[in-house]
Amino acid sequence: MSSNPSEARKAPAQVGEYLTFFIAEVEYAVSLDYVREVIPYDTVTRVPAMPETVRGVTNLRGSVVPVIDLALKFKLPQIEITPRTCIVLVETPFAGNAMLLGLLTEEVGQVLAIDRNDLLTPPSFGTPVHTDYLEGMLPIGKKFALALDIARVLSQEEILSTVRPEAPDAPSASVTAAEADDEAWEAVSPDSGDSASTAQRAE
């Protein structure tokens, strides 16, 4: 039985499911491999010293979950809270474990099943986010959703800054050195009670 050579060369199907949501009227998508659940927007408590992209933390059944505003991450105005605002809870790898984070979204769209081979390479210009953040362009009829690479969008460095806010400024190196010089001077000062200095005074 003959077959079409182009079909023979086609890669095996790798079906994946994606959840879409909207930010600044642009539809994005994230693999359901990372999504744990979607919850309506509820109280988000601001925490001092958190990065600008973190709107605060929310209480998820007794657990504290940081909520990240992806609009701020993408250098856009922060998301305005409306009755359609939702938080998409995603798990990302961190230090060999999975860490739960909330993504603030204007509105949740739909769940799509797609062959990952059909994801298209994003153009080098014209997208609202850096192409390094994208897994590809997900076709939805005649339009596209921007499929996010969560591991890149929420890098380990960003997670670290989220869970470990910056500490107050440490003393400068010059101050520390000056203090060390003072301690050394006191150690050899004749008035310090050093035994060698006492012997010299006795002579």
Side-chain angles (χ1 to χ4, degrees):
M1 183 176 67
S2 62
S3 61
N4 189 323
S6 62
E7 291 180 357
R9 289 194 299 269
K10 188 174 181 180
Q14 299 179 22
V15 178
E17 291 186 304
Y18 288 79
L19 172 72
T20 72
F21 52 84
F22 293 85
I23 297 174
E25 299 182 351
V26 175
E27 192 167 12
Y28 294 86
V30 61
S31 171
L32 283 186
D33 292 342
Y34 296 102
V35 177
R36 289 299 162 260
E37 61 181 295
V38 178
I39 61 175
Y41 178 86
D42 203 344
T43 303
V44 172
T45 304
R46 293 189 179 275
V47 178
M50 280 288 189
E52 180 186 5
T53 55
V54 181
R55 290 285 288 266
V57 297
T58 192
N59 185 340
L60 179 68
R61 297 185 289 274
S63 297
V64 177
V65 178
V67 177
I68 295 175
D69 189 332
L70 286 182
L72 294 176
K73 172 71 176 177
F74 299 154
K75 310 300 182 185
L76 300 168
Q78 72 175 13
I79 292 175
E80 298 298 328
I81 305 303
T82 72
R84 295 189 301 274
T85 304
C86 291
I87 297 175
V88 178
L89 297 170
V90 298
E91 280 189 348
T92 60
F94 175 67
N97 297 306
M99 180 174 181
L100 191 64
L101 297 171
L103 305 181
L104 191 64
T105 66
E106 293 175 352
E107 182 181 0
V108 168
Q110 56 189 318
V111 174
L112 299 170
I114 184 174
D115 183 345
R116 285 192 166 95
N117 295 316
D118 292 336
L119 284 173
L120 302 178
T121 302
S124 57
F125 61 91
T127 59
V129 300
H130 198 287
T131 54
D132 285 349
Y133 289 158
L134 297 178
E135 184 181 341
M137 306 286 286
L138 192 158
I140 306 177
K142 294 183 178 180
K143 62 177 184 175
F144 294 96
L146 305 183
L148 295 174
D149 185 337
I150 287 296
R152 289 177 179 251
V153 173
L154 303 176
S155 64
Q156 183 158 317
E157 290 76 13
E158 175 146 355
I159 294 175
L160 278 171
S161 67
T162 300
V163 297
R164 300 174 187 172
E166 292 184 4
D169 293 339
S172 65
S174 59
V175 172
T176 303
E179 291 176 348
D181 288 343
D182 288 343
E183 292 177 359
W185 170 254
E186 290 175 359
V188 298
S189 171
D191 297 330
S192 65
D194 179 77
S195 58
S197 299
T198 302
Q200 290 177 352
R201 287 200 300 271
E203 292 175 358

